[in-house]
Amino acid sequence: MGGDFAPRATVAGALLALAELDSSHSIQLVGRSAVVGEQLDALFRDPEHATLVSQRGRIEIVDAPDVIEMTDKPGTAVRGKPKSSMIVGLRLQADGLSDAFVSAGNTGAQMAASMVVLRLHSGLKRPAIATVFPTARRPVVVLDSGANVDCGADELVQFARLGVVYAEDLLGRENPAVGLLSIGEEPEKGNAVVKEAHQLLGASGLNFLGNVEGRDLPAGQCDRGPIDIVVCDGFVGNVVLKFYEAIAPFIIGLLAKSGLDQHKMMSALKQLDYSEHGGAPLLGVNGVSIISHGKSSPRAIKNAIKVAVQAVETRMNEHIGRRLGENGENGENGRGAA
Amino acid sequence: MGGDFAPRATVAGALLALAELDSSHSIQLVGRSAVVGEQLDALFRDPEHATLVSQRGRIEIVDAPDVIEMTDKPGTAVRGKPKSSMIVGLRLQADGLSDAFVSAGNTGAQMAASMVVLRLHSGLKRPAIATVFPTARRPVVVLDSGANVDCGADELVQFARLGVVYAEDLLGRENPAVGLLSIGEEPEKGNAVVKEAHQLLGASGLNFLGNVEGRDLPAGQCDRGPIDIVVCDGFVGNVVLKFYEAIAPFIIGLLAKSGLDQHKMMSALKQLDYSEHGGAPLLGVNGVSIISHGKSSPRAIKNAIKVAVQAVETRMNEHIGRRLGENGENGENGRGAA
């Protein structure tokens, strides 16, 4: 039920995913069952999806009569709407009846509900949202992109550990390189938290590149090499993410005024379209909870579902548990060796 | 002597400015006088500048044997190199022998030297760097863009007051609208400092739009109307500024791969070129100190000098003094009326 174009975009995205995933995967559509059922029937009548009618058995509709609105406060929504698709869908996973959860609904509510229903890995205070930024090189994982606005240095280090698992499991990177977002490459540049995090990351045992700057993000690399992960607090991460999403349309608009072919440009900049990259995992919760953009198209939902499948198949959640569990020991070793 | 292409770019920029400014303006070139004099002679031999030889009397060379390097620490440079072009140039202004100072040198040193030599307006803890961002609408002033990394809410309010004077005097805006950079438009969105600043700005008597988001920056407007000034701490401001500077070349690179005409694109995106906008005033010091990009071309230096002239002619510095002096009274009135 969540997202600006729900339930049509969500259900259509689920059908697109089913067509691409092998037959061992099935999808639960959680929401007001009458509305979801009607939408599903309508889509099956559409020639684009008609060939999937035979796959109807891979879809289960799970009733969730409450709807969390985009304007609802997260805490209130989670407590006051226990039969929302958000809570019901996450509960299925906690109860072992599903492997992953995807939503394009209220992000704050998804985060709060995921923390309540799935719980956090031990040692974490809050989950982080990991977003993939297209760059001139390979995509870079930026986290946190908005879940945590006031972060301590130790939280930035945890984001780095979570980002490493993401880069390994979902992007297939080996020994991924971590950059700390700052305003100069020297360790003494940055605000108080970033300067402290620089020291902690240097002693963390991770493949730490040092500080990276705003200009290194579109490049995907800094003077010290290619970047796989950029760590920042959720305030900076969210500002940069929203800025990035808005900049390509702005530049295309400027170029179109000069008579350049808008269609050709949009096709050339396809890799900047967030819907290509699907959803952003909420990292640190004990399970798989994928956040999709509120404006998700069916294609974006399909890609978010594929991210969820990949997270399940690579056992990303267990990997996070191991990585955070190793934390104490490795942290000590790292510090000893530094 | 400052900047990646000094002294050639700096001296050439001064000549370009002289050609455009009326004859009442003169320029002091501060640096190693032999080097600067040779550079000047060389440029006068260049056909591009030959017509300016008659204007030689409007140029004074002021000797400053020390040079602050880009890698020097600001405090050390200011104390240890009292005969640098930075200190000598600013001292001329403090002594009433010039009206404004422009440099493409070490930004941290320029800030420290400006604070020591020109001093700050009373009530300020630190100056702020105001940068003009091109947008789909009119340009927006973003401050702070890097001078202050750990800011309190009261400092963000002072940035707003400084930005208002900039927008009025240098951009000719009336009753300029102030946005507070955050991660959602609701007053309760943001980190602790931003949430507090939101309340203070609401009671400041300024034309306060409320929170603006990363996506509103390229647009130059938010749901509540056009934006003239965006207030943020210098960490976020610097990250976004450097990101912005790098993004147009990145996108042009992607489009060029698809066979779109690179030259045509660069010409269409000319307004995104920082050199078009000249220098960034260091606001809050008692005088005029304009920071130019380290990579400044002669054209960028010329535009920075024109910004300096405009700041002097509009008496921006006195205006800032009045605006900050009014602060106490207006603040009270604003709060009373709110």
Side-chain angles (χ1 to χ4, degrees):
Chain A
M1 306 305 292
D4 298 357
F5 311 120
R8 187 182 162 84
T10 331
V11 177
L15 292 182
L16 292 177
L18 270 191
E20 292 190 16
L21 296 170
D22 72 57
S23 61
S24 69
H25 297 98
S26 61
I27 292 181
Q28 295 159 331
L29 296 171
V30 188
R32 288 183 175 152
S33 52
V35 176
V36 174
E38 267 170 43
Q39 185 62 65
L40 190 60
D41 292 342
L43 285 165
F44 277 137
R45 284 192 299 270
D46 183 326
E48 189 190 345
H49 302 289
T51 56
L52 281 170
V53 175
S54 64
Q55 305 294 313
R56 179 65 181 82
R58 291 166 64 197
I59 301 171
E60 178 189 357
I61 296 174
V62 179
D63 192 43
D66 293 344
V67 171
I68 294 178
E69 305 295 341
M70 288 309 217
T71 49
D72 283 350
K73 303 251 177 227
T76 324
V78 169
R79 282 188 303 274
K81 296 180 173 174
K83 293 191 171 171
S84 61
S85 54
M86 204 78 92
I87 301 284
V88 172
L90 286 161
R91 187 74 67 195
L92 288 167
Q93 190 182 155
D95 292 346
L97 299 172
S98 73
D99 297 300
F101 176 76
V102 175
S103 173
N106 184 319
T107 299
Q110 184 173 351
M111 193 167 75
S114 299
M115 285 169 70
V116 168
V117 178
L118 301 177
R119 299 183 184 275
L120 288 169
H121 281 283
S122 63
L124 293 182
K125 283 184 240 168
R126 309 253 298 167
I129 299 172
T131 306
V132 170
F133 276 46
T135 78
R137 243 184 120 269
R138 301 189 300 188
V140 165
V141 186
V142 177
L143 75 171
D144 175 42
S145 329
N148 306 275
V149 289
D150 287 294
C151 297
D154 53 334
E155 285 173 281
L156 295 182
V157 176
Q158 284 178 332
F159 297 165
R161 294 189 192 282
L162 294 170
V164 164
V165 175
Y166 182 111
E168 288 176 345
D169 289 357
L170 297 190
L171 303 178
R173 307 282 165 86
E174 280 180 31
N175 192 25
V178 177
L180 176 63
L181 190 60
S182 191
I183 60 169
E185 63 181 46
E186 306 85 352
E188 68 274 14
K189 289 284 175 73
N191 58 29
V193 168
V194 165
K195 283 187 268 191
E196 190 189 342
H198 190 286
Q199 294 205 308
L200 295 178
L201 283 166
S204 66
L206 297 172
N207 178 9
F208 179 49
L209 285 173
N211 288 350
V212 298
E213 299 185 71
R215 64 165 164 256
D216 302 327
L217 263 175
Q221 61 185 355
C222 65
D223 294 345
R224 279 137 290 132
I227 307 168
D228 294 298
I229 297 138
V230 168
V231 172
C232 57
D233 74 47
F235 187 89
V236 179
N238 190 268
V239 166
V240 174
L241 172 64
K242 287 182 180 159
F243 187 71
Y244 201 1
E245 286 180 356
I247 204 98
F250 162 55
I251 290 183
I252 289 178
L254 290 179
L255 292 174
K257 275 189 206 156
S258 297
L260 285 144
D261 181 340
Q262 193 154 356
H263 186 74
K264 200 169 174 184
M265 287 191 281
M266 286 174 73
S267 145
L269 296 182
K270 213 173 163 189
Q271 62 159 290
L272 298 186
D273 181 0
Y274 66 88
S275 69
E276 294 294 314
H277 297 271
L282 187 64
L283 297 178
V285 295
N286 196 354
V288 177
S289 179
I290 309 289
I291 294 171
S292 291
H293 203 290
K295 300 200 191 311
S296 284
S297 61
R299 180 182 175 78
I301 296 286
K302 177 200 76 179
N303 284 326
I305 293 170
K306 289 172 78 174
V307 169
V309 168
Q310 204 182 347
V312 172
E313 290 184 341
T314 58
R315 300 177 179 274
M316 184 179 78
N317 185 42
E318 292 167 37
H319 188 178
I320 286 174
R322 283 199 308 280
R323 177 66 78 164
L324 295 172
E326 290 163 356
N327 198 342
E329 290 161 47
N330 267 13
E332 300 275 25
N333 289 347
R335 229 163 266 134
Chain B
M1 307 305 291
D4 298 356
F5 311 120
R8 186 182 164 82
T10 331
V11 177
L15 292 182
L16 293 178
L18 270 192
E20 291 190 17
L21 296 170
D22 73 54
S23 60
S24 69
H25 297 99
S26 61
I27 292 181
Q28 295 158 331
L29 297 171
V30 188
R32 289 183 175 152
S33 52
V35 177
V36 174
E38 267 170 42
Q39 185 62 65
L40 190 60
D41 292 343
L43 285 166
F44 277 138
R45 284 193 297 271
D46 183 326
E48 189 191 346
H49 301 289
T51 56
L52 280 171
V53 175
S54 63
Q55 304 294 312
R56 179 65 181 80
R58 292 166 64 196
I59 301 171
E60 180 189 353
I61 296 175
V62 179
D63 190 44
D66 292 345
V67 171
I68 295 177
E69 306 296 340
M70 288 310 217
T71 49
D72 283 350
K73 303 251 178 226
T76 324
V78 168
R79 282 189 301 275
K81 296 183 174 174
K83 293 191 171 172
S84 61
S85 55
M86 205 76 95
I87 301 283
V88 172
L90 285 161
R91 188 74 67 194
L92 288 168
Q93 190 183 156
D95 291 346
L97 299 173
S98 72
D99 297 300
F101 177 76
V102 175
S103 173
N106 182 320
T107 299
Q110 184 172 354
M111 193 166 76
S114 299
M115 285 169 70
V116 168
V117 178
L118 301 177
R119 299 183 182 278
L120 288 169
H121 282 283
S122 64
L124 293 181
K125 281 184 243 170
R126 307 255 297 168
I129 299 173
T131 306
V132 170
F133 275 47
T135 77
R137 242 184 121 268
R138 301 189 303 186
V140 165
V141 186
V142 176
L143 74 172
D144 176 41
S145 328
N148 307 272
V149 288
D150 287 292
C151 297
D154 54 333
E155 286 173 279
L156 295 182
V157 176
Q158 285 178 331
F159 297 166
R161 294 189 192 283
L162 294 170
V164 164
V165 175
Y166 182 112
E168 287 176 346
D169 289 358
L170 297 190
L171 302 178
R173 308 283 166 86
E174 280 180 31
N175 192 27
V178 176
L180 176 64
L181 191 59
S182 191
I183 60 168
E185 61 181 47
E186 306 85 351
E188 68 275 13
K189 288 283 176 74
N191 58 28
V193 168
V194 165
K195 283 187 266 192
E196 190 189 342
H198 190 285
Q199 295 205 309
L200 295 177
L201 283 166
S204 67
L206 297 172
N207 179 9
F208 179 50
L209 284 173
N211 288 350
V212 298
E213 298 183 72
R215 65 164 162 256
D216 302 327
L217 263 176
Q221 61 186 354
C222 64
D223 293 345
R224 279 136 292 132
I227 307 167
D228 294 298
I229 298 137
V230 168
V231 172
C232 57
D233 73 48
F235 186 89
V236 180
N238 190 269
V239 166
V240 174
L241 172 64
K242 287 182 180 158
F243 186 72
Y244 201 0
E245 286 180 356
I247 202 102
F250 162 56
I251 290 183
I252 288 178
L254 290 179
L255 292 174
K257 274 189 207 156
S258 297
L260 284 145
D261 180 338
Q262 194 155 353
H263 187 73
K264 200 169 174 184
M265 287 191 281
M266 286 175 73
S267 144
L269 296 182
K270 211 174 161 186
Q271 62 158 292
L272 297 187
D273 181 0
Y274 67 87
S275 70
E276 294 292 314
H277 297 272
L282 188 63
L283 297 178
V285 295
N286 195 355
V288 177
S289 179
I290 309 289
I291 295 171
S292 291
H293 203 290
K295 299 198 190 312
S296 284
S297 62
R299 180 182 176 78
I301 296 286
K302 178 200 75 177
N303 284 327
I305 293 171
K306 290 173 79 176
V307 169
V309 169
Q310 204 183 348
V312 173
E313 290 186 339
T314 57
R315 299 178 177 275
M316 184 179 77
N317 186 40
E318 292 167 37
H319 188 178
I320 286 174
R322 284 200 307 281
R323 176 68 76 168
L324 295 172
E326 288 162 357
N327 200 339
E329 290 160 45
N330 266 16
E332 300 276 25
N333 288 347
R335 230 161 267 136

